[in-house]
């Protein structure tokens, strides 16, 4: 048995041993969410209250005039959410999908996407963990332990959240240590030899008012695409990760302290980027490989189950993160708060693209002879990757006040990040070298791009809500304002054919913005309210290092017009929330793939122009009988360009929107049977549908692969997941849960990400992980 497996089982076993002797009083765990003092108590058998902090104060979800979806920790456990990315299946208008490497994540809300993980880009959707903004959208930062809840806020967030964003925000809140001794140990095993072992220990009060918790998780799985030359634990998609977390909570009189530290050590073989399309010239030339004794060219528009991809070392992703939140109750109505964060991330990866390793073709070796001198050469079609590192420091101060008719939050925010990337590439270039329109052959080529940069941001903000003494106190008026100033600098080095000396560029520029928010919220009845909102958001401009020495692109701004309706009926057994919106974007930032003879494959961020997004979201939750909860939601977005400037042309009528699925639906049910003497049976099932989408706005090479954008599009997506459990099984002084679960039960085969390498003559695709079936055991004490 592998040493790391043994370590994982020992960790789980140790926690289980503690559980067996744990005292009876430790069985009660703190609730995942707590209703605010003025929230009505949940009707017996009705829907649970969910507390959110979308407006930087604890409020009932139904009383918050924001389009928001929230999941409690209990619900996340029931849906078998291991990585935050799975939440997208249950959230209207949200997309969380991998990019072509282990380092990146494409995030979109209401169709506004950031899908290039280059560190200079500002995400259109801000991600926050315990109030700390996450600058790099890397996988290593999403092995998050002890989730209390996740909130997804849709639409521009321009006043209250740390980094002003145009698409929305994902607010991840982790669990505060309990004041009683207790914990849990959990082990699950699933398809692809996936093992997850997790332990958590709450110390209880170690001193009056002080408590801590310790968590550890080990996760390992084999790859899910069979590479014929490698063992299973080195197949594409294989992963191994260690994650640990320490939390400390203290209360001394009017003072509160919360400290969090977490680390992740992750080793992966990246997802398989299979050849999905090739140009006629590339396919004909590389297709000769098998005849010369090399690996055959594998191209398929369907998911390949067996491949022979180039073998590469495991990718390394390491992160170390600290957060410190201090709060002081000045009086009954005023709280001073400080939120300090430091995050560090390091990544090293070599990523192959294509399903054929070691193709053997005649490569040009001498351009001085005619016809060209050639030699049979074995070469991998394309190898990319490199190293990345990021360090960021954030500091936010808030004054939060509340009175009978007036609530407010004012504060300041500081962000300082340093980052760097070194991206070498080797590839096969097939082309016309004489200019006669006929492919002459191919060469082995290389490119290398390196950059380092810094971002500093300062912001002052304030938002207030007022309930005037009219209309029976049913009207709430909210106004907010935020001023932001960003300073960006980047130094870029491009190496001709990957060799020194580099050509160097240094650039710097400042950007500023003032955003506002005005919301009217009217309570039509005790559990029914309607709101109207006008707000703006901003995404800072910057530089595109891959477009070496190009001018800075401008900030992206958004104005949203939104109306919403929130309601509960039938003694709080039926909940219906609706929102309709129109968001107008100016200087919309688009990332478009391209090619450079010095840097290799590149992608450049530019201002395409203007666009309008219209759509709606609807969420319905019902508790028709005791123990049964039914859920259904839908979202629709219809974006249109008003201007799309690209290579000197306005392509507003032909350009499309990357990562935008017009329609998405989700239905689910949760049934919790009455408790029996041997446990409580529960069952969860969720089905989601998302319509087809493209991944780029236009094809990158209108000559070689003019239809690449549409040929690489994803079909509609159907996902079905389920979990059946028997919980609260008596086990000495502890409780045992046994469960069986499944993901992608329909074994869907849709594309989750593609890359248009048009100038190189091909496009690649990543497909969803195949069906997963697993079992789980958890002991709580």
């Amino acid at each position: 048995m592998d040493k790391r497996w043994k370590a994982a089982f020992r960790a789980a076993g140790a926690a289980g041993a503690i559980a067996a002797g744990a005292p009876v009083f430790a069985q009660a765990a703190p609730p995942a969410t707590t209703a605010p003092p003025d929230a009505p108590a949940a009707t017996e058998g009705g829907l649970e209250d969910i507390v959110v902090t979308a407006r930087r104060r604890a409020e009932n979800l139904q009383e918050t005039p924001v389009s928001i979806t929230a999941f409690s920790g209990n619900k996340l456990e029931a849906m078998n959410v291991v990585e935050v990315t799975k939440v997208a299946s249950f959230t209207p208008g949200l997309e969380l999908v991998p990019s072509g490497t282990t380092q990146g994540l494409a995030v979109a809300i209401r169709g506004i996407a950031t899908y290039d993980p280059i560190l200079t880009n500002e995400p259109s959707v801000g991600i926050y963990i315990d109030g700390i903004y996450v600058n790099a959208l890397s996988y290593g930062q999403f092995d998050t332990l002890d989730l209390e809840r996740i909130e997804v806020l849709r639409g521009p967030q321009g006043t209250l959240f740390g980094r002003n964003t145009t698409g929305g925000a994902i607010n991840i809140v982790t669990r505060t240590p309990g004041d009683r001794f207790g914990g849990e140990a959990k082990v699950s095993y699933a398809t692809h030899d996936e093992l997850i072992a997790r332990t958590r220990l709450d110390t209880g009060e170690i001193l009056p008012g002080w408590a801590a918790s310790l968590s550890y998780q080990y996760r390992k799985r084999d790859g899910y695409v069979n590479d014929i030359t490698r063992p299973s634990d080195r197949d594409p998609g294989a992963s191994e990760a260690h994650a640990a977390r320490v939390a400390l909570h203290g209360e001394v009189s009017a003072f509160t302290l919360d400290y969090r530290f977490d680390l992740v050590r992750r080793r992966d073989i990246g997802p398989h980027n299979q050849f999905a399309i090739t140009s006629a010239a590339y396919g004909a030339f590389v297709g000769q490989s098998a005849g010369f004794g090399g690996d055959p060219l594998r191209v398929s528009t369907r998911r390949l189950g067996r491949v022979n991809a180039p073998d590469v070392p495991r990718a390394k992703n390491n992160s170390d993160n600290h957060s410190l939140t201090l709060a002081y109750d000045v009086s009954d109505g005023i709280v001073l708060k400080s939120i300090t964060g430091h995050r560090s991330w390091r990544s090293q990866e070599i990523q192959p693209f294509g399903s054929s390793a070691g193709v053997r073709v005649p490569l040009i070796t001498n351009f001085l002879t005619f016809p060209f001198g050639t030699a049979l050469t074995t070469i991998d079609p394309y190898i990319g990757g490199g190293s990345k590192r990021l360090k960021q420091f954030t500091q936010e101060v808030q004054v939060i006040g509340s009175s009978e008719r007036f609530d407010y939050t004012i504060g300041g925010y500081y962000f300082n990040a340093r980052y760097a990337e070194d991206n070498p590439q080797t590839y096969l270039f097939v082309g016309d070298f004489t200019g006669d329109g006929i492919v002459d052959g191919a060469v082995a080529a290389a490119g290398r791009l390196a950059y380092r940069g810094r971002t500093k941001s300062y912001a002052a903000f304030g938002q207030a809500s007022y309930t005037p003494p009219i209309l029976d106190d049913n009207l709430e008026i909210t106004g907010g304002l935020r001023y932001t100033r960003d300073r960006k600098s980047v130094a870029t080095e491009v190496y001709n054919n990957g060799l020194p000396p580099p050509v160097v560029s240094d650039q710097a520029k400042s950007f500023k913005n003032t955003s506002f928010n005005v919301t009217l919220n009217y309570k039509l009845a005790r559990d029914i309210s309607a709101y109207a909102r006008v707000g703006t958001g901003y995404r800072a401009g910057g530089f595109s290092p891959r477009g070496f020495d190009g001018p800075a692109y401008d900030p992206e701004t958004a104005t949203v017009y939104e109306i919403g309706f929130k309601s509960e009926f039938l003694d709080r057994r039926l909940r219906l929330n609706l929102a309709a919106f129109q968001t107008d974007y100016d200087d919309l930032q688009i990332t478009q793939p391209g090619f450079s003879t010095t840097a290799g494959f590149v992608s450049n961020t530019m201002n395409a122009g203007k666009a309008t997004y219209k759509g709606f979201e609807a969420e319905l939750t019902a508790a028709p009988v005791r123990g049964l909860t039914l859920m259904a939601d839908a979202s629709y977005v219809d974006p249109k360009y008003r201007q799309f400037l690209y290579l000197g042309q306005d392509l507003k009528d032909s350009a499309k929107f990357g990562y935008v699925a017009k329609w998405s639906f989700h239905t689910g049910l949760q049934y919790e049977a009455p408790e029996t003497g041997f446990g409580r049976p529960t069952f969860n099932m969720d089905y989601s549908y998302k319509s087809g989408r493209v991944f780029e706005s236009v094809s990158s090479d209108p000559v070689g692969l003019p239809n690449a954008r549409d040929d690489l599009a994803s079909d509609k997506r159907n996902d079905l997941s389920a979990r059946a459990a028997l919980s609260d099984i008596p086990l000495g002084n502890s409780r045992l849960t046994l469960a069986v679960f499944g993901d992608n039960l329909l074994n869907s085969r849709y594309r989750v990400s593609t890359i248009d390498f048009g100038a190189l003559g091909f496009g690649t695709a990543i497909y969803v992980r195949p069906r997963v079936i697993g079992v789980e055991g958890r002991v709580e004490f």
Side-chain angles (χ1 to χ4, degrees):
M1 182 180 289
D2 185 277
K3 292 181 180 178
R4 282 169 281 195
W5 280 54
K6 291 180 180 179
F9 279 120
R10 282 198 296 268
I18 295 172
V24 175
F25 69 78
Q27 292 183 16
T33 57
T34 304
D38 57 348
T43 304
E44 184 177 359
L47 298 170
E48 69 169 341
D49 288 318
I50 299 179
V51 170
V52 297
T53 51
R55 297 197 294 179
R56 292 304 184 106
R57 62 180 70 245
E59 298 177 296
N60 189 299
L61 172 70
Q62 291 302 105
E63 297 178 356
T64 306
V66 176
S67 180
I68 179 174
T69 298
F71 302 94
S72 67
N74 291 337
K75 180 60 178 173
L76 293 168
E77 187 78 29
M79 295 188 301
N80 195 44
V81 174
V82 177
E83 285 191 330
V84 177
T85 50
K86 187 177 177 182
V87 170
S89 296
F90 318 121
T91 307
L94 174 65
E95 297 275 8
L96 291 168
V97 297
S99 67
T101 69
T102 66
Q103 302 170 343
L105 190 70
V107 185
I109 292 180
R110 288 181 174 175
I112 295 297
T114 301
Y115 44 88
D116 185 345
I118 191 169
L119 298 176
T120 55
N121 275 2
E122 294 285 340
S124 56
V125 176
I127 297 181
Y128 300 84
I129 300 177
D130 292 326
I132 306 300
Y133 172 72
V134 179
N135 178 262
L137 302 179
S138 72
Y139 270 9
Q141 295 172 313
F142 288 91
D143 287 83
T144 305
L145 299 176
D146 292 346
L147 295 179
E148 179 178 308
R149 69 179 181 275
I150 296 177
E151 307 168 4
V152 181
L153 288 69
R154 291 178 284 269
Q157 304 299 315
T159 55
L160 282 182
F161 278 86
R163 293 290 283 158
N164 202 327
T165 54
T166 56
I170 299 174
N171 189 28
I172 300 171
V173 181
T174 63
R175 182 179 167 278
T176 299
D179 58 5
R180 293 184 177 183
F181 176 82
E184 72 168 19
K186 173 182 175 181
V187 176
S188 67
Y189 182 79
T191 309
H192 308 121
D193 210 18
E194 182 173 48
L195 170 72
I196 301 175
R198 185 179 75 198
T199 64
R200 188 195 77 241
L201 178 68
D202 281 323
T203 64
E205 281 199 333
I206 48 182
L207 293 172
W210 292 85
S213 66
L214 309 172
S215 303
Y216 167 75
Q217 177 175 283
Y218 173 75
R219 184 154 62 94
K220 178 262 180 193
R221 75 161 180 244
D222 290 344
Y224 50 86
V225 176
N226 181 22
D227 191 297
I228 60 177
T229 64
R230 306 187 208 173
S232 298
D233 62 356
R234 291 189 56 78
D235 279 339
S239 178
E240 183 176 33
H242 299 264
R245 176 178 180 268
V246 177
L248 176 67
H249 175 76
E251 296 181 14
V252 179
S253 185
F255 175 78
T256 302
L257 176 148
D258 281 286
Y259 170 72
R260 306 283 192 270
F261 168 73
D262 67 85
L263 64 82
V264 176
R265 299 293 182 265
R266 188 161 179 164
R267 303 295 179 262
D268 302 280
I269 300 295
H272 183 62
N273 290 266
Q274 73 177 55
F275 276 178
I277 58 173
T278 62
S279 66
Y282 192 94
F285 184 82
V286 184
Q288 305 174 85
S289 175
F292 290 119
D295 197 22
L297 175 64
R298 294 175 178 87
V299 183
S300 177
T301 58
R302 300 175 61 85
R303 182 177 67 194
L304 292 172
R306 290 168 58 85
V307 300
N308 180 23
D311 197 6
V312 295
R314 290 178 179 268
K316 299 179 181 179
N317 281 278
N318 297 337
S319 63
D320 298 89
N321 310 302
H322 303 262
S323 69
L324 176 65
T325 300
L326 305 175
Y328 180 71
D329 293 337
V330 178
S331 64
D332 288 342
I334 301 177
V335 177
L336 300 180
K337 183 177 284 189
S338 167
I339 304 173
T340 307
H342 183 274
R343 302 184 69 87
S344 174
W345 171 58
R346 302 166 305 284
S347 176
Q348 183 75 40
E349 176 174 23
I350 298 175
Q351 179 65 51
F353 292 81
S355 307
S356 303
V359 297
R360 188 167 174 78
V361 288
L363 298 186
I364 298 172
T365 58
N366 190 348
F367 281 92
L368 299 179
T369 62
F370 187 88
F372 305 118
T374 62
L376 280 175
T377 306
T378 300
I379 185 173
D380 293 325
Y382 181 88
I383 302 288
S387 63
K388 292 182 180 180
R389 65 181 186 273
L390 163 74
K391 286 188 177 181
Q392 69 169 63
F393 173 81
T394 58
Q395 176 62 55
E396 183 170 354
V397 293
Q398 301 173 1
V399 180
I400 303 172
S402 180
S403 62
E404 182 180 0
R405 297 188 176 277
F406 193 64
D407 297 322
Y408 63 88
T409 300
I410 58 175
Y413 182 79
Y414 172 71
F415 173 83
N416 187 348
R418 295 178 180 269
Y419 47 82
E421 178 178 1
D422 190 351
N423 177 213
Q425 305 172 34
T426 59
Y427 52 91
L428 175 68
F429 185 81
V430 179
D432 169 19
F433 300 103
T434 58
D436 58 3
I438 301 174
V439 173
D440 302 302
V443 296
R448 182 182 172 193
L449 167 73
Y451 64 86
R452 61 185 184 278
R454 185 172 186 176
T455 297
K456 282 189 175 183
S457 180
Y458 307 84
F461 60 89
Q463 181 163 298
S465 298
Y466 174 62
T467 302
I470 58 175
L471 302 173
D472 296 324
D473 294 336
N474 288 322
L475 175 66
E476 180 190 65
I477 304 170
T478 299
L481 200 65
R482 184 185 195 93
Y483 174 79
T484 304
R485 183 176 179 86
D486 294 301
R487 175 72 177 176
K488 291 191 172 185
S489 60
V490 62
T492 306
E493 298 177 349
V494 175
Y495 295 77
N496 188 23
N497 204 32
L499 301 175
V503 180
V504 180
S505 168
D506 288 289
Q507 296 172 283
K509 191 171 183 178
S510 295
F511 310 92
K512 58 184 178 180
N513 172 265
T514 300
S515 296
F516 71 88
N517 174 59
V518 177
T519 303
L520 301 180
N521 187 34
Y522 186 73
K523 184 172 288 189
L524 302 170
R526 174 182 170 181
D527 295 321
I528 303 174
S529 63
Y531 68 88
R533 175 193 176 210
V534 179
T536 60
Y538 152 86
R539 179 157 52 141
F543 303 95
S544 194
R546 296 171 184 165
F548 179 75
D549 211 21
Y553 53 86
D554 294 328
E556 173 184 286
T557 58
T559 303
V560 63
Y561 308 90
E562 182 177 323
I563 57 174
F565 176 81
K566 296 195 172 187
S567 60
E568 290 182 334
F569 304 96
L570 304 178
D571 202 17
R572 304 187 68 213
R573 294 178 181 272
L574 179 68
R575 178 179 295 159
L576 175 64
N577 294 340
L578 305 171
F581 64 90
Q582 174 177 313
T583 309
D584 296 328
Y585 288 85
D586 285 327
D587 290 317
L588 186 69
Q589 294 174 11
I590 296 292
T591 301
Q592 185 61 29
F595 180 75
S596 164
T597 56
T598 53
F601 176 77
V602 298
S603 55
N604 299 321
T605 301
M606 61 183 185
N607 297 107
K610 304 176 184 294
T612 295
Y613 291 64
K614 296 180 180 180
F616 68 84
E617 295 111 15
E619 296 179 276
L620 178 68
T621 309
V625 296
R626 182 186 300 275
L628 177 64
T629 303
L630 304 176
M631 298 151 284
D633 60 66
S635 69
Y636 173 77
V637 59
D638 182 22
K640 295 187 182 300
Y641 288 112
R642 291 176 285 131
Q643 183 184 62
F644 188 102
L645 300 177
Y646 182 63
L647 299 179
Q649 301 181 63
D650 189 350
L651 304 180
K652 65 179 181 180
D653 296 326
S654 59
K656 296 184 179 181
F657 292 81
Y659 287 87
V660 176
K662 281 195 173 184
W663 284 101
S664 69
F665 301 97
H666 162 250
T667 60
L669 68 86
Q670 177 176 321
Y671 179 67
E672 185 173 301
E675 187 170 356
T676 67
F678 54 85
R680 183 189 299 273
T682 60
F683 178 73
N684 289 265
M685 184 170 65
D686 291 274
Y687 166 77
S688 66
Y689 165 88
K690 294 181 185 290
S691 58
R693 59 184 174 172
V694 299
F695 296 94
E696 307 288 353
S697 300
V698 298
S699 299
S700 67
D701 184 0
V703 178
L705 283 171
N707 300 317
R709 176 195 61 193
D710 299 324
D711 290 342
L712 291 172
S714 170
D715 293 330
K716 61 186 179 182
R717 290 164 282 164
N718 293 279
D719 279 307
L720 179 66
S721 62
R723 182 176 184 269
L726 185 62
S727 59
D728 295 333
I729 303 171
L731 183 67
N733 294 327
S734 305
R735 293 170 294 169
L736 172 67
T737 296
L738 298 175
V740 58
F741 59 87
D743 289 322
N744 191 14
L745 290 173
L746 300 177
N747 204 24
S748 297
R749 301 189 175 203
Y750 56 81
R751 296 170 179 172
V752 297
S753 178
T754 66
I755 301 179
D756 173 9
F757 290 90
L760 294 180
F762 60 85
T764 64
I766 299 173
Y767 283 80
V768 67
R769 184 181 175 188
R771 180 189 294 118
V772 174
I773 304 292
V775 294
E776 168 196 315
R778 184 174 81 249
V779 176
E780 298 175 275
F781 56 93

